[in-house]
Each structure stands twice: as structure tokens, then as C-alpha cells.
Amino acid sequence: MGQPPTPSVSEGPVIREEDLRAWMIEYGPALRRYFERRVGAAEAEDLVQDVFLHLQARAVGGAVDNVERYLFRIAGNVLVSRHRHRSARGFALTDALDEALEPADPIAAERVLIGKQDVARVIAAMQSLPPRTREAFIFHRFGEMTYPAIAKRMGISVSAVGQLIARALEKLTEEACA
């Protein structure tokens, strides 16, 4: 597979939207197949979207040497996080049984396109957030940091962290509903 241009350090801390779109088109089907083999078709599209959201959120500058390897490393981490989350809630066995009993849900091309558009809209909304708001949101949502930990790292109060995250959620919700 040919690789779209790799973001360089000079382009700053955010991966370009064009690169994300190109990578979604090129690597999305392979990621979908990867997830379908492991969790079934019903959750595969959501997990593919999680991969690209994590990619955008974790873009902290520097070049990505091998996009495919990097994306599949993120995919593995997404699966581990999903398993931990479900195991912590006691869903691992019951979900496996429920998935086995559910009829297969073929993914229509229209649904895939809508999902890609939704991911692109969320990424654009995240990129449009003010830097400190985006940073607090990414620490909380993707870094799984607590408000006190974020406050300490950013040198602000816990209530300020709450306000930043609330603003981020409000903006992302507005964009998602638009």
C-alpha cells in the first residue's frame, strides 16, 4: 500500500486533515477486517473510528515512519482498552454470548460513508477548539487522566479543568449535531 505524505515536525502538533482522510480511505477497510475477525461486524466500524480519533488526539508532532504499523498498533490498543473496559464491568462473557446470538449486520456502504463523515466532522471540531481546551479534553478523554492530574499538569485549578472540558464537550456536541 502506498503511503500518503507523512506529517513532519515542522507541520506542528496536529496531523493534517488531508492525511487523516487519505489514511481512512487507504487503511480503513483493512482495519475494519482486522476488527471484524476479532469482535464481529457490529462493532468494527466504531472501533475503526476510535483508531482515527486516537491517532488525531495523540498526534504530538514528529513524523510517522510507518503509517500502517502505527495504525495497527493503535488498533491493538483500542481492542485492549475495550476488553479492559468490558471486563471491569463484567460484560466479557455475556457480550460474547449476545454477539453469538445476534444476526449478522452487514455494513451498508451508506453507513460506512456516514461514519467516515462523522469522524471527519469530530476531528475538525477537535482541531477548531482553543489549544488549552483541546489539550484538557485530550488528556481527559484519550489520556484517561483525572481532573486533578490534568490541573497539575496544566498548572490550573480543578474547576478550570472542568470548565475547559465542559466547553470542549459543548462544542463537539454542537458540531456532531450540525
Side-chain angles (χ1 to χ4, degrees), residues 5 27 29 31 46 56 63 68 97 106 118 126 130 167-168 171 174:
Y27 299 107
L31 285 167
D46 289 338
Q56 197 282 330
E68 185 173 13
L97 291 173
D118 289 346
M126 283 181 63
R167 282 188 212 133
K171 174 75 171 171
E174 285 173 10

Side-chain angles (χ1 to χ4, degrees), residues 88-129:
R89 291 189 171 185
F91 288 123
L93 181 58
T94 57
D95 278 1
L97 291 173
D98 288 346
E99 287 176 10
L101 296 174
E102 288 181 21
D105 179 26
I107 299 176
E110 179 182 6
R111 191 170 135 205
V112 171
L113 177 62
I114 290 169
K116 287 179 181 180
Q117 291 170 341
D118 289 346
V119 169
R121 200 167 39 247
V122 169
I123 289 170
M126 283 181 63
Q127 289 174 336
S128 72
L129 292 172

Side-chain angles (χ1 to χ4, degrees), residues 16-72:
R16 295 179 334 190
E17 190 173 335
E18 313 81 75
D19 292 335
L20 282 173
R21 286 187 182 154
W23 294 341
M24 287 169 61
I25 291 167
E26 185 169 354
Y27 299 107
L31 285 167
R32 197 168 298 103
R33 286 189 301 273
Y34 171 83
F35 286 125
E36 284 174 353
R37 286 191 299 265
R38 286 155 180 82
V39 298
E43 291 184 66
E45 188 63 33
D46 289 338
L47 294 173
V48 170
Q49 290 179 13
D50 283 349
V51 168
F52 287 104
L53 285 173
H54 277 77
L55 176 65
Q56 197 282 330
R58 291 186 179 169
V60 292
V64 177
D65 294 329
N66 184 324
V67 175
E68 185 173 13
R69 182 176 58 208
Y70 188 62
L71 287 172
F72 278 92

